Amino acid sequence: PVPGRCAYFVERKKRFCKMIPAPGRRFCGEHGQQEEENGRKRIPCPLDPKHTVYEDQLQKHLKKCNSREKPNPVYFVQDINAGLKDVTEIPEKQVPISSLSKEELENLIIKLKKASNGLELRLKEQILSHHALQEALNDPKNGESAFKHLKQQASILGNMEKLHLLGPGRCFVEFGAGRGKLSHWVDVALQNVEDIQFLLVERAATRFKVDGKHKRRDSVFERLQVDIQHLCLNKVPILEKKKPPVVGMGKHLCGAATDLALRCLVESYTTCCDRENEEPAPKRSRTDKTEVASADNESNKDDCKPVAGIVIALCCHHKCDWTHYVGREFFRSVGLGPVEFNYFQRMSSWATCGMRETTTKASTSEDSEDQTNDTEEHKQTFSKTESGSDTLQGILTVEERKEIGCLCKLLIDHGRIEYLQRRGYKAALQYYTEAAVSLENVLLTAVPSPSLIPEPTT
């Protein structure tokens, strides 16, 4: 052990504990049970047994334990973006795809191809870049993993600029923010622009956040630690007070999180804003001012577009959920339901399973932690979904599985596009980066229709 540090060897980490013990002791408070401590006993914390506490200090500890239940923030509204309330529509038992007969699988594929008839199977390539990331992209210190992340972020910013979403007086809401790198680069791109706010939505506590890297005093960064399912944007103090145009964005927003974010923006938030902007009808008057006032009210209502745009890099369709999916109406319109969705959602993983190269070298850049987490998550998911695909080798080739997987992803995404179109948005799907950079390379964009975005009030 290092002198002055705890002498307890942590087997899981293959090293000694790095905590500093009290004067005269060999072990820190956590590992002090290894030696006699004047009869004081340490017990597992009832809120989180991963750590211990002195038994005689339990009540004091429970009041400040990080695992204690905390009061919900003002913007927490239970299941406001959850979607389906009728649980009878949800299949009770998920039958493994590997257990389907050849005829059953063929019938599913026939349904898939029939439902996909008329859809644009080849998306438009919109691989762009942005000057804000040029220096980082040319930095030799960045490893391959960091370079891939930067190329994706640069293209997302390029697409946002093309849609005129990078401007003053806006609030950028990053869903599934993680470390907040996308918001960071938007802040860098808007370094000479005034009155910018950032809301970083992430349900988990995150290490190595980059929120503090922005140096401009007039940009505001705020983290919302809440599940998107329960987020009511209209109650977030910044938005409640100023009501700036909102730009929703996300980089690799996994599965159902995309549907929750879309519903959060275009249903719960937009509906609340519209209600608040409604003014009571003017009192009747003998003059002609009544008609003028009514016309003004209609004009104000038409100009009220609380969501200026949406830009989300899609990811992990196998994590979608019929309960939260926004395209249920589209699925029903093509003769499909929750059972088919359940199969297509899992079959979508065939588009990427077994196609990803294993990363053997650690990144030397500051993005290594972010990339490691991302890679581990995908590896776990792929290993689970790939296991059943081997049993289909006698029925479908690898290329056929890949084609069917891509078709499933496209069908699910088209449901999202139709959902946005029905709510007055001009929505589109495009490839925003090469498959060599990321196999999850589809970007969903949406702006209010017509696509002329009103200038925000500063």
Side-chain angles (χ1 to χ4, degrees), residues 107-119:
N107 285 335
L108 267 179
I109 295 172
I110 290 170
K111 285 185 177 182
L112 173 66
K113 291 183 176 179
K114 183 180 178 182
S116 304
N117 255 345
L119 299 186

PDB file of all heavy atoms in Angstrom, residues 107-119:
ATOM      1  N   ASN A 107     -43.672 -15.236 -43.285  1.00  0.00           N
ATOM      2  CA  ASN A 107     -44.873 -14.394 -43.226  1.00  0.00           C
ATOM      3  C   ASN A 107     -44.553 -13.018 -42.650  1.00  0.00           C
ATOM      4  O   ASN A 107     -45.081 -11.992 -43.111  1.00  0.00           O
ATOM      5  CB  ASN A 107     -45.963 -15.069 -42.390  1.00  0.00           C
ATOM      6  CG  ASN A 107     -46.627 -16.216 -43.127  1.00  0.00           C
ATOM      7  OD1 ASN A 107     -46.628 -16.247 -44.355  1.00  0.00           O
ATOM      8  ND2 ASN A 107     -47.174 -17.176 -42.384  1.00  0.00           N
ATOM      9  N   LEU A 108     -43.681 -12.991 -41.642  1.00  0.00           N
ATOM     10  CA  LEU A 108     -43.264 -11.710 -41.055  1.00  0.00           C
ATOM     11  C   LEU A 108     -42.534 -10.863 -42.095  1.00  0.00           C
ATOM     12  O   LEU A 108     -42.770  -9.649 -42.206  1.00  0.00           O
ATOM     13  CB  LEU A 108     -42.346 -11.957 -39.858  1.00  0.00           C
ATOM     14  CG  LEU A 108     -42.968 -12.020 -38.462  1.00  0.00           C
ATOM     15  CD1 LEU A 108     -41.896 -12.306 -37.434  1.00  0.00           C
ATOM     16  CD2 LEU A 108     -43.697 -10.729 -38.125  1.00  0.00           C
ATOM     17  N   ILE A 109     -41.634 -11.490 -42.848  1.00  0.00           N
ATOM     18  CA  ILE A 109     -40.864 -10.764 -43.854  1.00  0.00           C
ATOM     19  C   ILE A 109     -41.772 -10.253 -44.968  1.00  0.00           C
ATOM     20  O   ILE A 109     -41.597  -9.134 -45.473  1.00  0.00           O
ATOM     21  CB  ILE A 109     -39.742 -11.664 -44.417  1.00  0.00           C
ATOM     22  CG1 ILE A 109     -38.737 -11.988 -43.302  1.00  0.00           C
ATOM     23  CG2 ILE A 109     -39.027 -10.989 -45.582  1.00  0.00           C
ATOM     24  CD1 ILE A 109     -37.698 -13.027 -43.679  1.00  0.00           C
ATOM     25  N   ILE A 110     -42.780 -11.046 -45.339  1.00  0.00           N
ATOM     26  CA  ILE A 110     -43.754 -10.606 -46.350  1.00  0.00           C
ATOM     27  C   ILE A 110     -44.498  -9.369 -45.855  1.00  0.00           C
ATOM     28  O   ILE A 110     -44.695  -8.393 -46.589  1.00  0.00           O
ATOM     29  CB  ILE A 110     -44.739 -11.754 -46.689  1.00  0.00           C
ATOM     30  CG1 ILE A 110     -44.023 -12.858 -47.474  1.00  0.00           C
ATOM     31  CG2 ILE A 110     -45.927 -11.226 -47.496  1.00  0.00           C
ATOM     32  CD1 ILE A 110     -44.831 -14.122 -47.649  1.00  0.00           C
ATOM     33  N   LYS A 111     -44.935  -9.391 -44.593  1.00  0.00           N
ATOM     34  CA  LYS A 111     -45.626  -8.238 -44.000  1.00  0.00           C
ATOM     35  C   LYS A 111     -44.726  -7.009 -43.988  1.00  0.00           C
ATOM     36  O   LYS A 111     -45.163  -5.895 -44.268  1.00  0.00           O
ATOM     37  CB  LYS A 111     -46.073  -8.563 -42.568  1.00  0.00           C
ATOM     38  CG  LYS A 111     -47.274  -9.484 -42.460  1.00  0.00           C
ATOM     39  CD  LYS A 111     -47.672  -9.630 -41.002  1.00  0.00           C
ATOM     40  CE  LYS A 111     -48.922 -10.496 -40.851  1.00  0.00           C
ATOM     41  NZ  LYS A 111     -49.343 -10.616 -39.436  1.00  0.00           N
ATOM     42  N   LEU A 112     -43.452  -7.231 -43.652  1.00  0.00           N
ATOM     43  CA  LEU A 112     -42.491  -6.131 -43.590  1.00  0.00           C
ATOM     44  C   LEU A 112     -42.326  -5.483 -44.955  1.00  0.00           C
ATOM     45  O   LEU A 112     -42.375  -4.246 -45.089  1.00  0.00           O
ATOM     46  CB  LEU A 112     -41.148  -6.651 -43.077  1.00  0.00           C
ATOM     47  CG  LEU A 112     -39.960  -5.687 -43.106  1.00  0.00           C
ATOM     48  CD1 LEU A 112     -40.189  -4.543 -42.131  1.00  0.00           C
ATOM     49  CD2 LEU A 112     -38.658  -6.413 -42.783  1.00  0.00           C
ATOM     50  N   LYS A 113     -42.136  -6.299 -45.985  1.00  0.00           N
ATOM     51  CA  LYS A 113     -41.913  -5.765 -47.335  1.00  0.00           C
ATOM     52  C   LYS A 113     -43.173  -5.097 -47.884  1.00  0.00           C
ATOM     53  O   LYS A 113     -43.095  -4.081 -48.584  1.00  0.00           O
ATOM     54  CB  LYS A 113     -41.438  -6.885 -48.258  1.00  0.00           C
ATOM     55  CG  LYS A 113     -40.032  -7.376 -47.909  1.00  0.00           C
ATOM     56  CD  LYS A 113     -39.529  -8.440 -48.867  1.00  0.00           C
ATOM     57  CE  LYS A 113     -38.091  -8.825 -48.536  1.00  0.00           C
ATOM     58  NZ  LYS A 113     -37.571  -9.883 -49.436  1.00  0.00           N
ATOM     59  N   LYS A 114     -44.342  -5.648 -47.555  1.00  0.00           N
ATOM     60  CA  LYS A 114     -45.592  -5.052 -48.006  1.00  0.00           C
ATOM     61  C   LYS A 114     -45.792  -3.676 -47.370  1.00  0.00           C
ATOM     62  O   LYS A 114     -46.187  -2.712 -48.025  1.00  0.00           O
ATOM     63  CB  LYS A 114     -46.765  -5.974 -47.659  1.00  0.00           C
ATOM     64  CG  LYS A 114     -48.111  -5.475 -48.160  1.00  0.00           C
ATOM     65  CD  LYS A 114     -49.223  -6.449 -47.784  1.00  0.00           C
ATOM     66  CE  LYS A 114     -50.584  -5.911 -48.248  1.00  0.00           C
ATOM     67  NZ  LYS A 114     -51.691  -6.823 -47.859  1.00  0.00           N
ATOM     68  N   ALA A 115     -45.504  -3.590 -46.053  1.00  0.00           N
ATOM     69  CA  ALA A 115     -45.650  -2.316 -45.340  1.00  0.00           C
ATOM     70  C   ALA A 115     -44.642  -1.280 -45.823  1.00  0.00           C
ATOM     71  O   ALA A 115     -44.886  -0.070 -45.740  1.00  0.00           O
ATOM     72  CB  ALA A 115     -45.501  -2.529 -43.835  1.00  0.00           C
ATOM     73  N   SER A 116     -43.494  -1.749 -46.334  1.00  0.00           N
ATOM     74  CA  SER A 116     -42.432  -0.838 -46.780  1.00  0.00           C
ATOM     75  C   SER A 116     -42.609  -0.395 -48.223  1.00  0.00           C
ATOM     76  O   SER A 116     -41.830   0.418 -48.712  1.00  0.00           O
ATOM     77  CB  SER A 116     -41.063  -1.514 -46.624  1.00  0.00           C
ATOM     78  OG  SER A 116     -40.870  -1.945 -45.295  1.00  0.00           O
ATOM     79  N   ASN A 117     -43.612  -0.936 -48.905  1.00  0.00           N
ATOM     80  CA  ASN A 117     -43.876  -0.561 -50.298  1.00  0.00           C
ATOM     81  C   ASN A 117     -44.117   0.943 -50.410  1.00  0.00           C
ATOM     82  O   ASN A 117     -44.912   1.507 -49.680  1.00  0.00           O
ATOM     83  CB  ASN A 117     -45.110  -1.298 -50.823  1.00  0.00           C
ATOM     84  CG  ASN A 117     -44.713  -2.415 -51.769  1.00  0.00           C
ATOM     85  OD1 ASN A 117     -43.586  -2.462 -52.243  1.00  0.00           O
ATOM     86  ND2 ASN A 117     -45.633  -3.322 -52.039  1.00  0.00           N
ATOM     87  N   GLY A 118     -43.421   1.587 -51.303  1.00  0.00           N
ATOM     88  CA  GLY A 118     -43.617   3.020 -51.505  1.00  0.00           C
ATOM     89  C   GLY A 118     -42.695   3.887 -50.678  1.00  0.00           C
ATOM     90  O   GLY A 118     -42.619   5.102 -50.889  1.00  0.00           O
ATOM     91  N   LEU A 119     -41.970   3.308 -49.699  1.00  0.00           N
ATOM     92  CA  LEU A 119     -41.029   4.091 -48.897  1.00  0.00           C
ATOM     93  C   LEU A 119     -39.726   4.284 -49.676  1.00  0.00           C
ATOM     94  O   LEU A 119     -39.324   3.416 -50.459  1.00  0.00           O
ATOM     95  CB  LEU A 119     -40.728   3.390 -47.568  1.00  0.00           C
ATOM     96  CG  LEU A 119     -41.902   3.142 -46.615  1.00  0.00           C
ATOM     97  CD1 LEU A 119     -41.379   2.578 -45.304  1.00  0.00           C
ATOM     98  CD2 LEU A 119     -42.687   4.421 -46.361  1.00  0.00           C
TER      99      LEU A 119
END
